[in-house]
């Protein structure tokens, strides 16, 4: 019997923002909980501690996270621009745009470890689907064996 008492499907947004495995949405995919522990912030185990899903699906799997990180950075820039415009405002008679640029640069720099982790978690969620029956092991035929040409030899 499963030790997990909660049998409902975990929320994908909560699992992404808390850096959980895409397959079970319960196991942490980073060894360190603190994203600002800069020596260990990007270290990942080989497999999810809960369901055993390979964290690095293939060699070079996380190269695509640059696109996700860029999209997250642009979204934060747009959100900070709108917030600055609504609360402080922009004018051609002062230097408020330069103050916003400085603020935005510091904001992005301070959020960089968090954004890198989120981009890896989002990238993994694109390619590894949630499996309700992850306790039963890998699904049948999930290996990388090409059965099309099995009698070719």
């Amino acid at each position: 019997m499963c030790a997990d008492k909660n049998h409902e499907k975990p929320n994908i947004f909560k699992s992404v923002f808390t850096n959980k495995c895409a397959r079970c949405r319960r196991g942490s995919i980073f060894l360190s909980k603190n994203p600002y522990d800069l020596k260990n912030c990007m270290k990942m185990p080989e497999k999810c501690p809960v369901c055993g899903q390979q964290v690095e699906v293939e060699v070079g799997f996380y190269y695509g996270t640059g696109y996700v990180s860029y999209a997250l950075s642009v979204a934060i820039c747009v959100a900070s621009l709108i917030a600055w415009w609504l609360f402080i405002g922009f004018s051609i008679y002062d230097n408020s745009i330069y103050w916003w640029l400085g603020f935005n640069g510091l904001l992005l720099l301070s959020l960089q470890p968090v954004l890198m982790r989120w981009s890896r978690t989002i990238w993994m969620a694109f390619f590894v689907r949630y499996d309700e029956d992850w306790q039963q092991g890998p699904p049948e035929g999930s290996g990388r064996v090409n059965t099309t040409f099995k009698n070719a030899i």
Side-chain angles (χ1 to χ4, degrees), residues 80-81 83-105:
S80 73
L81 176 73
W84 190 279
W85 186 17
L86 290 175
F87 294 116
I88 296 173
F90 292 109
S91 173
I92 59 172
Y93 301 111
D94 62 3
N95 293 329
S96 59
I97 188 75
Y98 300 113
W99 284 102
W100 172 75
L101 284 172
F103 168 77
N104 192 49

Side-chain angles (χ1 to χ4, degrees), residues 52-143:
Q53 168 68 37
Q54 285 287 115
V55 174
E56 186 164 351
V57 179
E58 60 187 36
V59 176
F61 177 69
Y62 290 110
Y63 285 143
T65 60
Y67 299 109
V68 178
S69 181
Y70 179 74
L72 290 173
S73 298
V74 168
I76 288 173
C77 289
V78 169
S80 73
L81 176 73
I82 291 171
W84 190 279
W85 186 17
L86 290 175
F87 294 116
I88 296 173
F90 292 109
S91 173
I92 59 172
Y93 301 111
D94 62 3
N95 293 329
S96 59
I97 188 75
Y98 300 113
W99 284 102
W100 172 75
L101 284 172
F103 168 77
N104 192 49
L106 289 174
L107 179 67
L108 286 176
L109 188 64
S110 65
L111 287 177
Q112 191 58 40
V114 176
L115 291 177
M116 288 189 317
R117 284 178 157 219
W118 283 350
S119 64
R120 281 195 177 193
T121 309
I122 291 169
W123 190 255
M124 187 178 180
F126 280 150
F127 296 101
V128 178
R129 297 287 172 228
Y130 175 72
D131 185 12
E132 292 179 4
D133 300 323
W134 60 266
Q135 295 95 348
Q136 313 306 330
E140 195 70 30
S142 66

Side-chain angles (χ1 to χ4, degrees), residues 21-50:
C21 173
R23 182 175 175 220
C24 65
R25 295 185 185 166
R26 288 174 174 80
S28 180
I29 62 169
F30 291 100
L31 294 176
S32 174
K33 300 270 186 215
N34 183 6
Y36 294 101
D37 177 14
L38 298 180
K39 286 190 176 185
N40 301 315
C41 73
M42 297 307 290
K43 291 186 179 173
M44 303 171 83
E46 286 187 31
K47 295 183 177 188
C48 171
V50 176

